[in-house]
């Protein structure tokens, strides 16, 4: 049976034509794909998603020129598992050790299995990652940061990598370019430890007077001080290799632009992982104070500007017509995640998760329902799609786009949803498992959350986790804010979804 796909290939929607799915790759002529991944950006953080207190014009422009999704998800409500799923096309809860990783963790992405960048490589693309990695490096926790560190991004499908290892609040605060820490010197070797203090650098705990931004009481972030900010973990050495937080974003931007301009004649996949608005939020001078919402708002403006710079760069090089940009976030929002940076005190009525309940760390929709904007060649223009789609689906969807065959046991949880991604199909997945401390499953706008004994409320981060010792059922069509647990009213629905979830868990 021949599948067909309506594809808008000319500027006006009225000229939509139906083309065979199989020849889509030829029509698109191997588009460049740039996947821009924000860190902790919420469903309500962009003006195109309804934010009133903040203006994000560049992302709004992207949404107007393409398709804006309202029911797109990361797999999980934290970073490492969401990124693991994006890379592997499998649910992270199927593999042990995919929770938030420390900065010295070893690589958790299998090197012998298909990955998102390998799909592109198999189709003859050049591939790169620029930005936050957070999936571990090397094969040991104790590793020599002064020599090449393998395996890493270059061993799971990226030709080029310019990354930082974990999160901006974790040591080591250094960049790695293709396995090697940038600017490390033999006379000042880097040592990292997550258990005990190492070297003589002051810590936030001993010397809070040295901090330019105070850590939140009770949340740690009081170990080695780097650039006036207390971090998680201890490090010493690498004085010249340490990043300056205010320059993190532009450093990544320059590397991303370099990669783009060096690949004008060969199709490429760029995985561009921004660090905003994750803590520590320390925006560049040009954005500081600009949002009036504290450094979190300023970091969102910086992120929006960065996306604008990428768009502008593509235009200058005449590459925008042959490029698809996909923008999303790895999990929902959080205000106080370790530093007293004004995110709470200057919130000014802003709703980072929009109408959703919960945020980062939560099984409620705020945890995984995130902005997802797709624009460029072959993508419907000015469309809003309510289709259910997961970032984990990009692996199979890109394979479908590029005619790359996946074996049946590869990337099993990833669904080929090309028509959904282009904005033609408005349904997407029929079901999706969501992941925080517990699991939930969504089907036809009904959501079942499995019972959990975990805390229902994390005071320090002000998070409603969604943990509850009994079944929860929400009717998302009429109650997107998950206010009314209707489990006792619809026992058959609970049974149906519970069985579906158990089936997914068994389906290893
Ligand atoms: C948490 C950190 C938080 C942040 C998060 C990872 C504490 C108390 N909190 O454990 O600050 O680093 O991990 O965020 O240590 S993520 O977006 O990479 O998942
Ligand atoms: Ca994150």
């Amino acid at each position: 049976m021949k599948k067909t796909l309506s594809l808008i290939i000319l500027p006006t929607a009225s000229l939509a034509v139906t083309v065979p799915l199989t020849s889509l790759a030829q029509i698109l002529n191997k588009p460049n794909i740039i996947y821009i991944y924000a860190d902790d950006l919420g469903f309500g953080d962009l003006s195109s998603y309804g934010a009133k207190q903040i203006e994000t014009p560049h992302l709004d422009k992207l949404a107007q020129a393409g398709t804006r999704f309202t029911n797109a998800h990361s797999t999980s409500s934290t970073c490492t598992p969401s990124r693991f799923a994006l890379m592997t096309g499998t649910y992270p809860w199927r593999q042990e050790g995919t929770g938030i990783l420390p900065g010295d963790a070893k690589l958790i992405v299998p090197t012998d299995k298909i990955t998102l960048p390998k799909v592109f490589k198999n189709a003859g693309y050049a591939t790169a990652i620029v930005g936050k990695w957070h999936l571990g490096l090397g094969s040991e926790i104790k590793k020599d940061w002064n020599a090449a560190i393998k395996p890493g991004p270059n061993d799971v499908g990226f030709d080029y990598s310019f990354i930082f290892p974990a999160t901006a609040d974790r040591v080591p605060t250094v960049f790695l370019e293709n396995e090697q820490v940038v600017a490390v010197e033999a006379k000042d070797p880097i040592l990292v430890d997550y258990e005990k203090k190492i070297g003589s650098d002051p810590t936030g705990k001993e010397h809070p007077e040295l901090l330019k931004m105070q850590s939140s009481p009770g949340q740690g972030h009081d170990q080695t001080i780097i650039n006036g900010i207390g971090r998680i973990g201890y490090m010493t050495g690498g004085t010249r290799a340490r990043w300056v937080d205010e320059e993190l974003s532009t450093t990544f931007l320059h590397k991303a632009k370099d990669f783009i301009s060096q690949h004008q004649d060969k199709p490429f996949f760029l995985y561009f992982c921004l660090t905003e608005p994750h803590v520590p939020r320390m925006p560049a001078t040009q954005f500081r104070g600009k949002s009036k919402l504290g450094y979190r708002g300023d970091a969102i403006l910086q992120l929006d500007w960065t996306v604008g710079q990428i768009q502008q760069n593509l235009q200058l090089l005449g590459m925008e017509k042959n490029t698809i940009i996909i923008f999303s976030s790895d999990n929902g929002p959080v205000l106080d995640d370790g530093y007293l940076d004004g995110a709470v005190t200057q919130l000014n009525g802003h709703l980072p998760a929009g109408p959703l309940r919960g945020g980062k760390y939560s099984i409620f929709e705020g945890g995984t329902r995130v902005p997802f904007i797709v624009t460029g060649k072959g993508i419907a223009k000015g469309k809003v799609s309510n289709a259910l789609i997961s970032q984990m689906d990009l692996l199979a969807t890109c394979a479908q786009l590029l005619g790359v065959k996946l074996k049946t046991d590869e990337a099993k949880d990833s669904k080929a949803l090309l028509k959904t991604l282009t904005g033609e199909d408005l349904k997407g997945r029929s079901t999706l498992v969501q992941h925080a401390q517990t699991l939930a499953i969504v089907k036809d706008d009904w959501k079942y959350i499995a019972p959990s004994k975990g805390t229902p409320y994390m005071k320090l981060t002000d998070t409603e986790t969604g943990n509850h010792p009994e079944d929860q059922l929400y009717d998302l069509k009429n109650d997107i804010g998950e206010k009314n647990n209707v489990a006792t009213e619809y026992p058959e629905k609970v049974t149906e979804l519970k069985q579906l979830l158990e089936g997914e868990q068994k389906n290893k």
Side-chain angles (χ1 to χ4, degrees), residues 279-352:
V279 297
R281 300 153 187 145
M282 194 46 71
T285 311
Q286 75 181 103
F287 300 104
R288 243 174 282 155
K290 207 173 167 195
S291 70
K292 308 278 185 273
L293 299 184
Y295 281 1
R296 184 173 188 278
D298 299 345
I300 293 173
L301 296 186
Q302 179 168 283
L303 173 159
D304 183 62
W305 176 85
T306 305
V307 173
Q309 290 293 301
I310 293 288
Q311 286 169 290
Q312 198 187 77
N313 192 237
L314 290 169
Q315 275 158 9
L316 283 174
L317 298 170
M319 294 167 79
E320 80 279 12
K321 290 203 172 60
N322 197 34
T323 302
I324 294 173
I325 298 179
I326 304 171
F327 174 86
S328 197
S329 172
D330 66 341
N331 52 253
V334 60
L335 295 175
D336 184 349
D337 208 18
Y339 299 95
L340 301 175
D341 61 6
V344 175
T345 52
Q346 298 178 57
L347 187 60
N348 198 22
H350 173 59
L351 298 170

Side-chain angles (χ1 to χ4, degrees), residues 35-43 72-86 92 100 132-134 166-167 271 273-278 303 327-334 337 359-361 366-372 391 435:
Y35 184 73
I36 308 180
Y37 214 13
D39 195 0
D40 297 3
L41 186 78
F43 188 74
H73 294 255
S74 57
T75 56
S76 313
S77 64
T78 51
C79 169
T80 300
S82 293
R83 286 163 201 254
F84 178 86
L86 176 74
I100 299 171
K132 169 176 174 168
W133 175 235
H134 212 185
T167 58
Y271 176 37
C273 316
L274 312 177
T275 179
E276 300 98 335
H278 194 283
L303 173 159
F327 174 86
S328 197
S329 172
D330 66 341
N331 52 253
V334 60
D337 208 18
K360 184 175 182 176
Y361 310 115
T368 63
R369 196 189 286 226
V370 284
F372 191 84
Q391 293 159 4
H435 170 228

Side-chain angles (χ1 to χ4, degrees), residues 250-486:
T250 42
T251 307
F252 286 148
L253 175 62
H254 282 299
K255 292 291 171 184
K257 280 164 78 169
D258 282 351
F259 179 79
I260 293 169
S261 60
Q262 285 157 13
H263 291 84
Q264 296 178 48
D265 302 322
K266 183 178 184 189
F268 68 81
F269 168 60
L270 171 62
Y271 176 37
F272 185 28
C273 316
L274 312 177
T275 179
E276 300 98 335
H278 194 283
V279 297
R281 300 153 187 145
M282 194 46 71
T285 311
Q286 75 181 103
F287 300 104
R288 243 174 282 155
K290 207 173 167 195
S291 70
K292 308 278 185 273
L293 299 184
Y295 281 1
R296 184 173 188 278
D298 299 345
I300 293 173
L301 296 186
Q302 179 168 283
L303 173 159
D304 183 62
W305 176 85
T306 305
V307 173
Q309 290 293 301
I310 293 288
Q311 286 169 290
Q312 198 187 77
N313 192 237
L314 290 169
Q315 275 158 9
L316 283 174
L317 298 170
M319 294 167 79
E320 80 279 12
K321 290 203 172 60
N322 197 34
T323 302
I324 294 173
I325 298 179
I326 304 171
F327 174 86
S328 197
S329 172
D330 66 341
N331 52 253
V334 60
L335 295 175
D336 184 349
D337 208 18
Y339 299 95
L340 301 175
D341 61 6
V344 175
T345 52
Q346 298 178 57
L347 187 60
N348 198 22
H350 173 59
L351 298 170
L356 309 178
R357 189 169 178 184
K360 184 175 182 176
Y361 310 115
S362 175
I363 195 70
F364 288 132
E365 290 294 289
T368 63
R369 196 189 286 226
V370 284
F372 191 84
I373 300 170
V374 187
T375 191
K377 196 167 195 180
I379 310 300
K381 293 184 203 310
K383 204 154 179 175
V384 176
S385 170
N386 301 326
L388 180 64
I389 189 167
S390 167
Q391 293 159 4
M392 181 176 66
D393 298 328
L394 285 174
L395 196 156
T397 302
C398 292
Q400 187 183 21
L401 167 70
L402 300 171
V404 171
K405 292 262 171 304
L406 297 176
K407 298 190 198 105
T408 45
D409 62 338
E410 282 183 329
K412 278 194 333 187
D413 298 314
S414 182
K415 301 244 181 276
L417 295 174
L418 189 53
K419 284 183 172 188
T420 314
L421 193 79
T422 59
E424 186 201 355
D425 163 69
L426 296 177
K427 175 143 187 5
R429 283 177 158 262
S430 51
T431 62
L432 177 66
V433 178
Q434 300 173 336
H435 170 228
Q437 272 172 312
T438 184
L439 296 179
I441 191 161
V442 175
K443 180 173 188 273
D444 301 328
D445 279 325
W446 287 96
K447 173 165 170 181
Y448 166 75
I449 304 179
S452 162
K453 294 204 172 74
T455 180
Y457 180 66
M458 285 163 56
K459 193 161 181 278
L460 290 173
T461 52
D462 186 24
T463 307
E464 289 190 289
T465 61
N467 294 332
H468 186 66
E470 278 154 34
D471 292 326
Q472 291 177 79
L473 182 75
Y474 295 99
D475 170 7
L476 295 179
K477 197 171 271 165
N478 298 302
D479 179 24
I480 199 172
E482 294 166 282
K483 292 284 176 231
N484 304 307
N485 177 8
V486 291

Side-chain angles (χ1 to χ4, degrees), residues 218-239:
Q219 290 211 46
H221 298 82
D222 59 359
Q223 297 174 340
T224 304
I225 298 175
I226 292 156
N227 189 30
I229 299 170
R231 312 280 166 162
I232 305 175
Y234 301 99
M235 88 177 267
T236 185
T239 313

Side-chain angles (χ1 to χ4, degrees), residues 7-22:
L7 175 73
I8 295 154
I9 51 173
L10 285 171
T12 60
S14 58
L15 292 174
V17 290
T18 300
V19 295
L21 191 54
T22 43

